[in-house]
Amino acid sequence: MAIQGNLLAIIVLLLSIRLPFVASASATLTSCLSSANLQPISPSSTNYTADSLAFNQRLSYKPADIVFPSNDQDVASAIKCASQVGVKVVARSGGHSYAANGVGGEDGSLVIDLMNLNSVQVTASNQTAVFGTGIRLGDLALALFNAGEQAMAHGTCPYIGTGGHLGCGGFGLPSRLWGLALDAVIEAQVVLANGSIVIASSTENQDLFFAIRGAAPSFGVITSFTVKTQSAPASNVFFNYVFSPLNVTAAVETFLACQNFGANNAPPTLGMYVVLGNGDFEMSGVFYGPISNFTAVIQPLLDAVPQQPKSQSVKIYGWLGVLQQLAGSDGSLNTSTKADVSDTFYAKSLMVDEDAPLTKTALQSFFNYLYGPGTTTDTSWFVEVDLWGGAVNAVPSNETAFSHRSTLYTFQFYASSSNSAPPYPSDGISFVDGMVSSITSNMSGTNFGMYSCYVDPQLSAAEAQQVYYGNSTTTRLQNIKSQVDPANLFSFPQAIETALVPEISTQSAARRGAAPYAAQLGVVSALLASFMSETVHHSW
């Protein structure tokens, strides 16, 4: 009995000194970073507000410090400082995380911004490239093409950071032909929680190599990737067909035609997506080959839809030209030409399996929702449906942490505030949730996956890991985490945790916005675990 009383007294004492501990940890972190010549941006710094802004302005977090390392050793020094004082660490590449994980996803993290690690070396003769993870997709695409007309599959927004993009998946229109961006990775240089700098590849640190291809932020800071490149296609047919279904029936039949075509007739050389808005149904994409071949490929789909398009455009571009078209109205791939643009939004995803295409009933429910609540919401919304398959699904599901290798297509449900600025409408989240449930509630027994690059911060860690990775992959990732980051230094709300940590853990502290408190709570956790063990062995 005396033991329990003493333990409880110690726990109460430690909890009572929480605030001084946090202040001390933050000050110690800043001092350590300064001593390492990392020039930290702390809450008292002039640039702190600007440097801690999230791309998604619906979310706002307060990092403990922000650093902009110039090389791998700087990254290692920053990690060692954070480890010494128990402050969680996140890496920021382009900063486009939907959950603002690039600034921590919660208060109190050390943000390691990789923007200065942006070099690119291309060897066209053997089709490889090495690049720092601070470079953005548009700049990488330019560098690859300008050094021997090389290319790789990746997303369309030029401002997306390569570190995060390749770390979670990296789908792009050429993915059906070449695979995901992470599938091109040959090796990566990673800074681990102990500050060591290692290579992860198929022959070195194989477990880490598995983990960083799909769940990278939980395992370390990747400072460079070596990737396999492809010869850029000379002919790229960019197409756009716009339909205006007048009723739910027409919309459902048009979608079913696209679903059937994608499952049975679309060759890997065709990248295609559907965009649904308020009344419009757009079918767009790129065919990587001559236009004569495209005409033969697309005609069965056009014959299957219940109406003629109200407008259409089919044009041939070179590689950079088609990337510029996909980039949108600005079209520039060089991100230095203008500043990035933020948004205020909430998004979700849904991955439809090849073996469980959407039923007509589910689609009727979905379009009833779009043509009902979708016409009255105070958000500005769209739904994008990307055709997957091809080379993406040719990779075994257990080869990378990205395990969704039987996906037919992926939904992105996205709703912004009306002017893309705060505040976010109070019903915006429930509106997006309603879009998803209009489908899933009519597909009982179907286990839908979700795409972690479209991270949904409303999910709990357990829910996120189930839909992003699945049970078996999550278990494997937890075991790898136990080996390379046992103290959960690399942490954010949905991060993979070590399988060895107790329920009341340093991670639990971070969930409450108390990352600098983690080291202290770790001690409390151990004491409490001991207390609980003693309690079990006494019959009160």
Side-chain angles (χ1 to χ4, degrees):
M1 296 290 291
I3 294 175
Q4 282 83 10
N6 290 338
L7 282 170
L8 285 174
I10 294 171
I11 291 170
V12 171
L13 176 62
L14 285 171
L15 291 174
S16 71
I17 60 173
R18 169 181 175 175
L19 291 178
F21 179 91
V22 172
S24 175
S26 180
T28 303
L29 173 64
T30 303
S31 176
C32 182
L33 295 170
S34 297
S35 297
N37 296 317
L38 291 173
Q39 301 177 345
I41 304 297
S42 61
S44 61
S45 302
T46 303
N47 296 334
Y48 179 82
T49 299
D51 288 339
S52 60
L53 282 178
F55 166 73
N56 184 359
Q57 295 191 21
R58 187 177 67 83
L59 304 169
S60 177
Y61 300 111
K62 300 182 184 301
D65 280 297
I66 306 168
V67 292
F68 297 85
S70 299
N71 51 52
D72 303 325
Q73 291 297 335
D74 284 350
V75 173
S77 296
I79 289 172
K80 289 176 182 177
C81 285
S83 179
Q84 288 171 13
V85 297
V87 172
K88 301 300 182 180
V89 175
V90 294
R92 178 168 64 183
S93 179
H96 275 240
S97 168
Y98 284 12
N101 287 336
V103 288
E106 57 196 2
D107 292 340
S109 299
L110 169 63
V111 173
I112 299 179
D113 191 299
L114 304 169
M115 64 180 297
N116 295 324
L117 280 64
N118 56 15
S119 63
V120 185
Q121 295 178 329
V122 183
T123 307
S125 59
N126 68 353
Q127 294 195 298
T128 59
V130 182
F131 54 87
T133 49
I135 194 169
R136 303 196 180 208
L137 293 183
D139 301 312
L140 176 63
L142 287 171
L144 292 178
F145 188 81
N146 292 334
E149 299 188 358
Q150 296 300 289
M152 63 180 292
H154 54 68
T156 59
C157 175
Y159 291 87
I160 297 290
T162 54
H165 192 60
L166 274 69
C168 64
F171 176 83
L173 285 179
S175 288
R176 303 189 71 247
L177 183 61
W178 297 333
L180 299 173
L182 66 79
D183 293 330
V185 175
I186 299 170
E187 69 176 38
Q189 187 161 271
V190 189
V191 187
L192 298 178
N194 63 5
S196 62
I197 302 171
V198 303
I199 296 295
S201 70
S202 60
T203 58
E204 295 182 74
N205 298 299
Q206 292 98 328
D207 283 344
L208 180 63
F209 189 52
F210 168 87
I212 64 171
R213 291 177 296 158
S218 295
F219 291 89
V221 177
I222 301 174
T223 55
S224 72
F225 282 115
T226 301
V227 299
K228 177 68 174 177
T229 62
Q230 306 286 340
S231 297
S235 175
N236 304 273
V237 182
F238 181 69
F239 61 92
N240 174 255
Y241 299 93
V242 180
F243 303 88
S244 288
L246 299 178
N247 54 53
V248 169
T249 299
V252 169
E253 292 302 323
T254 303
F255 195 97
L256 283 172
C258 291
Q259 177 175 259
N260 182 67
F261 174 79
N264 300 299
N265 302 110
T269 48
L270 182 75
M272 191 177 81
Y273 60 96
V274 166
V275 176
L276 306 172
N278 196 342
D280 276 346
F281 189 124
E282 292 193 39
M283 184 178 70
S284 303
V286 179
F287 179 77
Y288 302 100
I291 193 168
S292 58
N293 290 2
F294 167 72
T295 302
V297 164
I298 204 68
Q299 195 59 48
L301 175 56
L302 297 177
D303 291 341
V305 296
Q307 60 183 298
Q308 293 296 311
K310 73 174 185 180
S311 67
Q312 63 183 51
S313 174
V314 178
K315 295 181 179 180
I316 305 172
Y317 294 93
W319 180 249
L320 293 184
V322 80
L323 293 183
Q324 289 166 354
Q325 292 298 311
L326 294 169
S329 58
D330 179 78
S332 175
L333 301 178
N334 184 342
T335 63
S336 68
T337 58
K338 71 169 190 175
D340 196 3
V341 178
S342 60
D343 198 0
T344 303
F345 66 96
Y346 176 59
K348 294 179 78 74
S349 65
L350 208 61
M351 306 184 86
V352 176
D353 195 89
E354 292 174 322
D355 293 332
L358 295 193
T359 63
K360 189 171 186 176
T361 299
L363 285 170
Q364 287 171 333
S365 172
F366 176 52
F367 281 103
N368 275 325
Y369 190 90
L370 297 190
Y371 282 30
T375 63
T376 59
T377 176
D378 51 357
T379 65
S380 176
W381 62 270
F382 70 86
V383 178
E384 182 170 324
V385 190
D386 293 312
L387 180 63
W388 283 46
V392 177
N393 292 358
V395 178
S397 61
N398 62 354
E399 186 168 309
T400 67
F402 184 91
S403 58
H404 294 300
R405 299 294 184 167
S406 60
T407 300
L408 176 58
Y409 53 86
T410 295
F411 281 95
Q412 178 180 196
F413 310 88
Y414 191 109
S416 305
S417 60
S418 58
N419 62 353
S420 296
Y424 191 67
S426 59
D427 60 347
I429 291 177
S430 61
F431 169 67
V432 175
D433 286 342
M435 285 197 279
V436 177
S437 63
S438 71
I439 295 173
T440 57
S441 63
N442 288 278
M443 296 281 291
S444 61
T446 302
N447 294 319
F448 290 98
M450 294 185 180
Y451 185 33
S452 65
C453 289
Y454 302 149
V455 57
D456 176 3
Q458 296 297 113
L459 299 176
S460 69
E463 290 170 333
Q465 289 158 20
Q466 169 62 36
V467 295
Y468 294 154
Y469 310 114
N471 290 334
S472 61
T473 299
T474 297
T475 298
R476 183 176 177 184
L477 290 172
Q478 288 171 337
N479 290 331
I480 298 170
K481 179 81 166 181
S482 301
Q483 298 300 314
V484 299
D485 184 17
N488 292 314
L489 184 70
F490 299 110
S491 178
F492 49 94
Q494 296 172 351
I496 297 293
E497 293 182 315
T498 173
L500 304 179
V501 77
E503 181 180 358
I504 299 178
S505 65
T506 58
Q507 181 74 8
S508 302
R511 294 297 167 269
R512 293 192 292 273
Y517 183 47
Q520 183 188 22
L521 191 57
V523 175
V524 176
S525 298
L527 291 171
L528 187 56
S530 175
F531 168 72
M532 295 301 294
S533 176
E534 288 293 323
T535 300
V536 170
H537 289 87
H538 288 272
S539 56
W540 291 5

